[in-house]
Amino acid sequence: GAGVSQSPSNKVTEKGKDVELRCDPISGHTALYWYRQRLGQGLEFLIYFQGNSAPDKSGLPSDRFSAERTGESVSTLTIQRTQQEDSAVYLCASSLANYGTASGNTIYFGEGSWLTVV
Amino acid sequence: AQSVAQPEDQVNVAEGNPLTVKCTYSVSGNPYLFWYVQYPNRGLQFLLKYITGDNLVKGSYGFEAEFNKSQTSFHLKKPSALVSDSALYFCAVSAILTGGGNKLTFGTGTQLKVEL
């Protein structure tokens, strides 16, 4: 598609349930990122994929969070045993990859998945 | 470690007046700087970026930003504000990740309110 697509756009779940969030990046973008934005706060980096490997997962807040990616396509972010503090907007983004030195490729964001844990 | 500071939580400006949203950065090496805008209940939209070259960068919707190396600043500007510019603005700095990606470190955001 033309942009980064995320689903569901909104999700309300009960505490303790598992949720899966899906991201479909821009075609041809090999780099894919997940960020989290809590209400009234800035954006936190969660994880980065290059192809289907995740060289940097340093931002995942706990072992309840995991992510995977199929080839250079769709990614899913899974949150197990959700807690109320997991309530946030989960933003997916994609970009062309840089090789060698940083070249500042633009990162394009989706509309986000708004997660509410009750 | 890299960081970005947006010293103003909110900026108010009258429609038709010039606007400035401030951003300062801290990074080792050459900075790659970005501005994004977020409208209510929406994702982030890319506005502009500085990689190298001219210090004045022009972007979408009439916005521009001035890179100032000596002051480590990258302020967002627009000569004449519109009510429709009211949104949350994020400044970000980029660093290279293992494997070739760019990690964006964001500021806390500045809420811009343009009034008639």
Side-chain angles (χ1 to χ4, degrees), chain A residues 41-91:
Chain A
Q41 297 187 24
L43 288 92
E44 306 169 70
F45 169 82
L46 297 179
I47 188 170
Y48 151 66
F49 285 93
Q50 177 58 41
N52 62 4
S53 67
D56 191 332
K57 51 180 78 172
S58 61
L60 292 178
S62 75
D63 59 7
R64 296 187 295 106
F65 288 72
S66 63
E68 62 179 26
R69 187 180 185 193
T70 306
E72 294 183 350
S73 184
V74 172
S75 174
T76 55
L77 177 69
T78 301
I79 309 172
Q80 295 179 308
R81 306 181 302 282
T82 51
Q83 303 295 313
Q84 288 186 330
E85 63 263 27
D86 300 333
S87 297
V89 182
Y90 291 84
L91 291 161

Short mmCIF file of all heavy atoms in Angstrom, two decimals, chain A residues 41-91:
data_model
loop_
_atom_site.label_atom_id
_atom_site.label_comp_id
_atom_site.label_asym_id
_atom_site.label_seq_id
_atom_site.Cartn_x
_atom_site.Cartn_y
_atom_site.Cartn_z
N GLN A 41 2.66 11.66 26.75
CA GLN A 41 4.10 11.50 26.80
C GLN A 41 4.69 11.40 25.40
O GLN A 41 3.96 11.37 24.39
CB GLN A 41 4.45 10.24 27.60
CG GLN A 41 4.00 10.32 29.05
CD GLN A 41 4.49 9.14 29.86
OE1 GLN A 41 5.48 8.50 29.53
NE2 GLN A 41 3.78 8.85 30.95
N GLY A 42 5.99 11.37 25.34
CA GLY A 42 6.68 11.23 24.07
C GLY A 42 6.68 9.80 23.57
O GLY A 42 5.97 8.94 24.09
N LEU A 43 7.48 9.55 22.58
CA LEU A 43 7.53 8.24 21.95
C LEU A 43 8.72 7.44 22.46
O LEU A 43 9.84 7.94 22.51
CB LEU A 43 7.63 8.38 20.44
CG LEU A 43 6.35 8.85 19.77
CD1 LEU A 43 6.32 10.35 19.64
CD2 LEU A 43 6.20 8.18 18.42
N GLU A 44 8.44 6.18 22.80
CA GLU A 44 9.49 5.28 23.26
C GLU A 44 9.78 4.25 22.17
O GLU A 44 8.87 3.60 21.67
CB GLU A 44 9.04 4.49 24.49
CG GLU A 44 8.54 5.28 25.66
CD GLU A 44 7.88 4.32 26.66
OE1 GLU A 44 8.62 3.54 27.31
OE2 GLU A 44 6.64 4.34 26.77
N PHE A 45 11.05 4.08 21.85
CA PHE A 45 11.46 3.06 20.91
C PHE A 45 11.31 1.68 21.56
O PHE A 45 11.71 1.48 22.71
CB PHE A 45 12.92 3.30 20.53
CG PHE A 45 13.57 2.18 19.77
CD1 PHE A 45 13.39 2.03 18.41
CD2 PHE A 45 14.38 1.27 20.44
CE1 PHE A 45 14.00 1.00 17.72
CE2 PHE A 45 15.00 0.22 19.76
CZ PHE A 45 14.80 0.10 18.39
N LEU A 46 10.73 0.74 20.83
CA LEU A 46 10.57 -0.62 21.36
C LEU A 46 11.52 -1.60 20.68
O LEU A 46 12.32 -2.27 21.34
CB LEU A 46 9.13 -1.10 21.17
CG LEU A 46 8.04 -0.33 21.91
CD1 LEU A 46 6.67 -0.93 21.61
CD2 LEU A 46 8.30 -0.31 23.41
N ILE A 47 11.44 -1.70 19.35
CA ILE A 47 12.19 -2.71 18.63
C ILE A 47 12.35 -2.31 17.18
O ILE A 47 11.53 -1.55 16.64
CB ILE A 47 11.47 -4.08 18.73
CG1 ILE A 47 12.33 -5.22 18.15
CG2 ILE A 47 10.10 -4.03 18.07
CD1 ILE A 47 11.78 -6.61 18.46
N TYR A 48 13.43 -2.81 16.56
CA TYR A 48 13.73 -2.52 15.17
C TYR A 48 13.99 -3.84 14.45
O TYR A 48 14.69 -4.71 14.96
CB TYR A 48 14.96 -1.61 15.11
CG TYR A 48 15.82 -1.74 13.88
CD1 TYR A 48 15.33 -1.38 12.63
CD2 TYR A 48 17.13 -2.19 13.97
CE1 TYR A 48 16.13 -1.48 11.50
CE2 TYR A 48 17.94 -2.29 12.85
CZ TYR A 48 17.43 -1.94 11.62
OH TYR A 48 18.22 -2.04 10.51
N PHE A 49 13.43 -3.98 13.26
CA PHE A 49 13.67 -5.13 12.40
C PHE A 49 14.41 -4.69 11.14
O PHE A 49 14.10 -3.66 10.55
CB PHE A 49 12.35 -5.77 11.96
CG PHE A 49 11.66 -6.57 13.02
CD1 PHE A 49 10.71 -5.98 13.83
CD2 PHE A 49 11.95 -7.91 13.20
CE1 PHE A 49 10.06 -6.71 14.80
CE2 PHE A 49 11.31 -8.65 14.17
CZ PHE A 49 10.36 -8.05 14.97
N GLN A 50 15.35 -5.50 10.74
CA GLN A 50 15.95 -5.38 9.42
C GLN A 50 15.65 -6.71 8.74
O GLN A 50 16.22 -7.74 9.10
CB GLN A 50 17.45 -5.13 9.51
CG GLN A 50 18.15 -5.07 8.17
CD GLN A 50 17.57 -4.01 7.25
OE1 GLN A 50 17.25 -2.90 7.67
NE2 GLN A 50 17.43 -4.35 5.99
N GLY A 51 14.78 -6.68 7.75
CA GLY A 51 14.27 -7.93 7.23
C GLY A 51 13.48 -8.62 8.33
O GLY A 51 12.67 -8.00 9.01
N ASN A 52 13.75 -9.92 8.54
CA ASN A 52 13.01 -10.62 9.59
C ASN A 52 13.85 -10.83 10.85
O ASN A 52 13.44 -11.57 11.75
CB ASN A 52 12.49 -11.97 9.08
CG ASN A 52 13.61 -12.89 8.66
OD1 ASN A 52 14.79 -12.57 8.81
ND2 ASN A 52 13.26 -14.04 8.13
N SER A 53 15.00 -10.16 10.92
CA SER A 53 15.78 -10.24 12.15
C SER A 53 15.65 -8.95 12.92
O SER A 53 15.38 -7.89 12.34
CB SER A 53 17.25 -10.54 11.84
OG SER A 53 17.83 -9.44 11.15
N ALA A 54 15.85 -9.04 14.22
CA ALA A 54 15.67 -7.88 15.10
C ALA A 54 17.00 -7.54 15.77
O ALA A 54 17.27 -8.00 16.88
CB ALA A 54 14.60 -8.16 16.14
N PRO A 55 17.83 -6.73 15.11
CA PRO A 55 19.13 -6.40 15.69
C PRO A 55 19.04 -5.58 16.97
O PRO A 55 19.98 -5.57 17.76
CB PRO A 55 19.83 -5.59 14.60
CG PRO A 55 19.05 -5.84 13.36
CD PRO A 55 17.65 -6.12 13.79
N ASP A 56 17.94 -4.86 17.16
CA ASP A 56 17.82 -4.02 18.34
C ASP A 56 16.42 -4.18 18.93
O ASP A 56 15.45 -3.74 18.35
CB ASP A 56 18.10 -2.56 17.98
CG ASP A 56 18.24 -1.67 19.21
OD1 ASP A 56 17.64 -1.97 20.26
OD2 ASP A 56 18.95 -0.65 19.14
N LYS A 57 16.35 -4.84 20.06
CA LYS A 57 15.09 -4.98 20.77
C LYS A 57 15.22 -4.40 22.18
O LYS A 57 14.53 -4.82 23.11
CB LYS A 57 14.65 -6.44 20.81
CG LYS A 57 15.69 -7.42 21.30
CD LYS A 57 15.18 -8.86 21.31
CE LYS A 57 15.17 -9.46 19.93
NZ LYS A 57 14.85 -10.92 19.93
N SER A 58 16.10 -3.43 22.29
CA SER A 58 16.45 -2.90 23.61
C SER A 58 15.31 -2.17 24.30
O SER A 58 15.34 -1.99 25.51
CB SER A 58 17.66 -1.97 23.48
OG SER A 58 17.35 -0.87 22.63
N GLY A 59 14.31 -1.72 23.54
CA GLY A 59 13.24 -0.95 24.14
C GLY A 59 12.06 -1.76 24.64
O GLY A 59 11.16 -1.20 25.27
N LEU A 60 12.04 -3.05 24.38
CA LEU A 60 10.92 -3.87 24.87
C LEU A 60 10.90 -3.81 26.39
O LEU A 60 11.88 -4.14 27.04
CB LEU A 60 11.05 -5.31 24.39
CG LEU A 60 10.89 -5.52 22.88
CD1 LEU A 60 11.09 -6.98 22.52
CD2 LEU A 60 9.53 -5.03 22.40
N PRO A 61 9.77 -3.39 26.99
CA PRO A 61 9.77 -3.10 28.43
C PRO A 61 9.83 -4.31 29.34
O PRO A 61 10.27 -4.20 30.48
CB PRO A 61 8.46 -2.32 28.63
CG PRO A 61 7.62 -2.63 27.45
CD PRO A 61 8.52 -2.97 26.33
N SER A 62 9.39 -5.47 28.87
CA SER A 62 9.43 -6.67 29.71
C SER A 62 9.31 -7.90 28.82
O SER A 62 9.09 -7.78 27.62
CB SER A 62 8.29 -6.64 30.73
OG SER A 62 7.06 -6.95 30.10
N ASP A 63 9.46 -9.07 29.43
CA ASP A 63 9.37 -10.30 28.64
C ASP A 63 7.93 -10.61 28.24
O ASP A 63 7.68 -11.61 27.56
CB ASP A 63 10.01 -11.48 29.38
CG ASP A 63 9.37 -11.74 30.73
OD1 ASP A 63 8.34 -11.10 31.05
OD2 ASP A 63 9.88 -12.60 31.47
N ARG A 64 6.98 -9.79 28.66
CA ARG A 64 5.61 -9.97 28.19
C ARG A 64 5.46 -9.46 26.75
O ARG A 64 4.47 -9.75 26.09
CB ARG A 64 4.62 -9.24 29.09
CG ARG A 64 4.57 -9.76 30.52
CD ARG A 64 3.44 -9.10 31.32
NE ARG A 64 3.65 -7.67 31.50
CZ ARG A 64 2.99 -6.72 30.85
NH1 ARG A 64 2.06 -7.04 29.95
NH2 ARG A 64 3.23 -5.44 31.10
N PHE A 65 6.42 -8.66 26.31
CA PHE A 65 6.38 -8.06 24.98
C PHE A 65 7.28 -8.86 24.04
O PHE A 65 8.43 -9.16 24.37
CB PHE A 65 6.88 -6.62 25.01
CG PHE A 65 5.93 -5.65 25.65
CD1 PHE A 65 5.72 -5.65 27.02
CD2 PHE A 65 5.25 -4.73 24.88
CE1 PHE A 65 4.84 -4.75 27.61
CE2 PHE A 65 4.36 -3.82 25.45
CZ PHE A 65 4.17 -3.84 26.82
N SER A 66 6.75 -9.17 22.86
CA SER A 66 7.56 -9.82 21.84
C SER A 66 7.08 -9.36 20.47
O SER A 66 5.96 -8.84 20.34
CB SER A 66 7.46 -11.35 21.95
OG SER A 66 6.13 -11.77 21.72
N ALA A 67 7.92 -9.52 19.49
CA ALA A 67 7.56 -9.13 18.13
C ALA A 67 8.24 -10.06 17.14
O ALA A 67 9.31 -10.60 17.43
CB ALA A 67 7.93 -7.68 17.85
N GLU A 68 7.59 -10.22 16.02
CA GLU A 68 8.18 -10.99 14.94
C GLU A 68 7.82 -10.35 13.61
O GLU A 68 6.89 -9.55 13.51
CB GLU A 68 7.73 -12.45 14.98
CG GLU A 68 6.24 -12.67 14.82
CD GLU A 68 5.88 -14.14 14.84
OE1 GLU A 68 6.61 -14.94 15.45
OE2 GLU A 68 4.85 -14.49 14.24
N ARG A 69 8.60 -10.74 12.61
CA ARG A 69 8.35 -10.20 11.27
C ARG A 69 8.57 -11.30 10.25
O ARG A 69 9.55 -12.06 10.33
CB ARG A 69 9.28 -9.03 10.97
CG ARG A 69 8.95 -8.33 9.65
CD ARG A 69 9.88 -7.18 9.40
NE ARG A 69 9.48 -6.47 8.19
CZ ARG A 69 10.25 -5.56 7.58
NH1 ARG A 69 11.44 -5.27 8.07
NH2 ARG A 69 9.82 -4.96 6.50
N THR A 70 7.67 -11.35 9.29
CA THR A 70 7.75 -12.34 8.22
C THR A 70 8.48 -11.72 7.04
O THR A 70 7.95 -10.82 6.38
CB THR A 70 6.34 -12.78 7.79
OG1 THR A 70 5.62 -13.21 8.93
CG2 THR A 70 6.43 -13.89 6.77
N GLY A 71 9.70 -12.17 6.79
CA GLY A 71 10.48 -11.65 5.67
C GLY A 71 10.63 -10.15 5.76
O GLY A 71 11.02 -9.61 6.78
N GLU A 72 10.34 -9.44 4.70
CA GLU A 72 10.40 -7.99 4.72
C GLU A 72 8.99 -7.43 4.64
O GLU A 72 8.73 -6.41 4.01
CB GLU A 72 11.26 -7.48 3.56
CG GLU A 72 12.71 -7.89 3.71
CD GLU A 72 13.60 -7.35 2.61
OE1 GLU A 72 13.07 -6.82 1.62
OE2 GLU A 72 14.83 -7.46 2.74
N SER A 73 8.08 -8.13 5.31
CA SER A 73 6.67 -7.75 5.23
C SER A 73 6.10 -7.54 6.62
O SER A 73 6.71 -6.90 7.47
CB SER A 73 5.92 -8.81 4.44
OG SER A 73 4.57 -8.45 4.26
N VAL A 74 4.97 -8.14 6.84
CA VAL A 74 4.15 -7.88 8.03
C VAL A 74 4.89 -8.20 9.33
O VAL A 74 5.66 -9.16 9.41
CB VAL A 74 2.86 -8.71 7.95
CG1 VAL A 74 2.07 -8.64 9.24
CG2 VAL A 74 2.02 -8.26 6.77
N SER A 75 4.62 -7.37 10.32
CA SER A 75 5.15 -7.60 11.67
C SER A 75 3.98 -7.64 12.66
O SER A 75 2.98 -6.96 12.47
CB SER A 75 6.12 -6.48 12.07
OG SER A 75 6.52 -6.61 13.41
N THR A 76 4.14 -8.46 13.69
CA THR A 76 3.16 -8.48 14.77
C THR A 76 3.87 -8.21 16.10
O THR A 76 4.95 -8.74 16.36
CB THR A 76 2.41 -9.81 14.87
OG1 THR A 76 3.37 -10.87 14.98
CG2 THR A 76 1.55 -10.04 13.66
N LEU A 77 3.27 -7.36 16.90
CA LEU A 77 3.72 -7.08 18.26
C LEU A 77 2.73 -7.76 19.19
O LEU A 77 1.52 -7.52 19.11
CB LEU A 77 3.78 -5.58 18.52
CG LEU A 77 4.16 -5.13 19.93
CD1 LEU A 77 5.62 -5.45 20.22
CD2 LEU A 77 3.90 -3.63 20.10
N THR A 78 3.23 -8.63 20.06
CA THR A 78 2.37 -9.38 20.97
C THR A 78 2.64 -8.94 22.40
O THR A 78 3.81 -8.85 22.81
CB THR A 78 2.61 -10.90 20.84
OG1 THR A 78 2.34 -11.30 19.49
CG2 THR A 78 1.70 -11.67 21.78
N ILE A 79 1.59 -8.67 23.12
CA ILE A 79 1.70 -8.35 24.54
C ILE A 79 0.93 -9.42 25.29
O ILE A 79 -0.28 -9.59 25.10
CB ILE A 79 1.12 -6.96 24.87
CG1 ILE A 79 1.71 -5.89 23.94
CG2 ILE A 79 1.42 -6.60 26.33
CD1 ILE A 79 1.05 -4.53 24.08
N GLN A 80 1.64 -10.13 26.14
CA GLN A 80 1.01 -11.20 26.93
C GLN A 80 0.61 -10.68 28.30
O GLN A 80 1.25 -9.78 28.85
CB GLN A 80 1.99 -12.36 27.08
CG GLN A 80 2.35 -13.05 25.77
CD GLN A 80 3.36 -14.18 25.97
OE1 GLN A 80 4.41 -13.99 26.59
NE2 GLN A 80 3.03 -15.36 25.47
N ARG A 81 -0.46 -11.25 28.81
CA ARG A 81 -0.92 -10.92 30.18
C ARG A 81 -0.92 -9.41 30.37
O ARG A 81 -0.25 -8.87 31.24
CB ARG A 81 -0.02 -11.60 31.21
CG ARG A 81 0.12 -13.10 31.01
CD ARG A 81 1.00 -13.73 32.07
NE ARG A 81 2.36 -13.17 32.11
CZ ARG A 81 3.32 -13.49 31.27
NH1 ARG A 81 3.10 -14.34 30.28
NH2 ARG A 81 4.52 -12.93 31.41
N THR A 82 -1.71 -8.73 29.57
CA THR A 82 -1.70 -7.27 29.55
C THR A 82 -1.98 -6.68 30.93
O THR A 82 -2.75 -7.23 31.74
CB THR A 82 -2.72 -6.72 28.56
OG1 THR A 82 -4.00 -7.32 28.82
CG2 THR A 82 -2.31 -7.00 27.14
N GLN A 83 -1.33 -5.56 31.18
CA GLN A 83 -1.50 -4.79 32.40
C GLN A 83 -2.03 -3.40 32.04
O GLN A 83 -1.90 -2.96 30.89
CB GLN A 83 -0.16 -4.66 33.13
CG GLN A 83 0.49 -5.98 33.47
CD GLN A 83 -0.32 -6.78 34.46
OE1 GLN A 83 -0.78 -6.25 35.47
NE2 GLN A 83 -0.52 -8.07 34.18
N GLN A 84 -2.58 -2.70 33.01
CA GLN A 84 -3.14 -1.39 32.72
C GLN A 84 -2.08 -0.41 32.23
O GLN A 84 -2.37 0.46 31.40
CB GLN A 84 -3.86 -0.84 33.95
CG GLN A 84 -5.18 -1.57 34.23
CD GLN A 84 -5.98 -0.95 35.36
OE1 GLN A 84 -5.41 -0.38 36.28
NE2 GLN A 84 -7.29 -1.09 35.29
N GLU A 85 -0.86 -0.57 32.71
CA GLU A 85 0.20 0.34 32.26
C GLU A 85 0.60 0.11 30.80
O GLU A 85 1.37 0.89 30.24
CB GLU A 85 1.45 0.24 33.15
CG GLU A 85 2.12 -1.12 33.16
CD GLU A 85 1.69 -1.98 34.33
OE1 GLU A 85 0.57 -1.78 34.83
OE2 GLU A 85 2.49 -2.84 34.74
N ASP A 86 0.07 -0.96 30.19
CA ASP A 86 0.33 -1.20 28.77
C ASP A 86 -0.57 -0.33 27.88
O ASP A 86 -0.36 -0.26 26.67
CB ASP A 86 0.10 -2.67 28.41
CG ASP A 86 1.00 -3.61 29.17
OD1 ASP A 86 2.11 -3.19 29.58
OD2 ASP A 86 0.61 -4.78 29.36
N SER A 87 -1.55 0.31 28.47
CA SER A 87 -2.44 1.17 27.70
C SER A 87 -1.64 2.29 27.05
O SER A 87 -0.95 3.06 27.74
CB SER A 87 -3.54 1.76 28.60
OG SER A 87 -4.36 0.75 29.13
N ALA A 88 -1.74 2.39 25.73
CA ALA A 88 -0.92 3.35 24.98
C ALA A 88 -1.30 3.24 23.51
O ALA A 88 -2.09 2.37 23.11
CB ALA A 88 0.57 3.04 25.15
N VAL A 89 -0.70 4.12 22.73
CA VAL A 89 -0.75 3.98 21.28
C VAL A 89 0.53 3.29 20.84
O VAL A 89 1.62 3.72 21.22
CB VAL A 89 -0.86 5.34 20.57
CG1 VAL A 89 -0.95 5.13 19.07
CG2 VAL A 89 -2.05 6.11 21.08
N TYR A 90 0.37 2.24 20.07
CA TYR A 90 1.53 1.51 19.55
C TYR A 90 1.68 1.89 18.08
O TYR A 90 0.81 1.62 17.26
CB TYR A 90 1.37 0.02 19.77
CG TYR A 90 1.47 -0.32 21.23
CD1 TYR A 90 0.35 -0.22 22.06
CD2 TYR A 90 2.69 -0.67 21.80
CE1 TYR A 90 0.46 -0.47 23.43
CE2 TYR A 90 2.80 -0.94 23.16
CZ TYR A 90 1.68 -0.83 23.97
OH TYR A 90 1.78 -1.07 25.32
N LEU A 91 2.79 2.55 17.79
CA LEU A 91 3.03 3.07 16.45
C LEU A 91 4.06 2.21 15.74
O LEU A 91 5.12 1.92 16.29
CB LEU A 91 3.53 4.51 16.53
CG LEU A 91 2.50 5.55 16.98
CD1 LEU A 91 3.19 6.81 17.47
CD2 LEU A 91 1.55 5.88 15.86
#
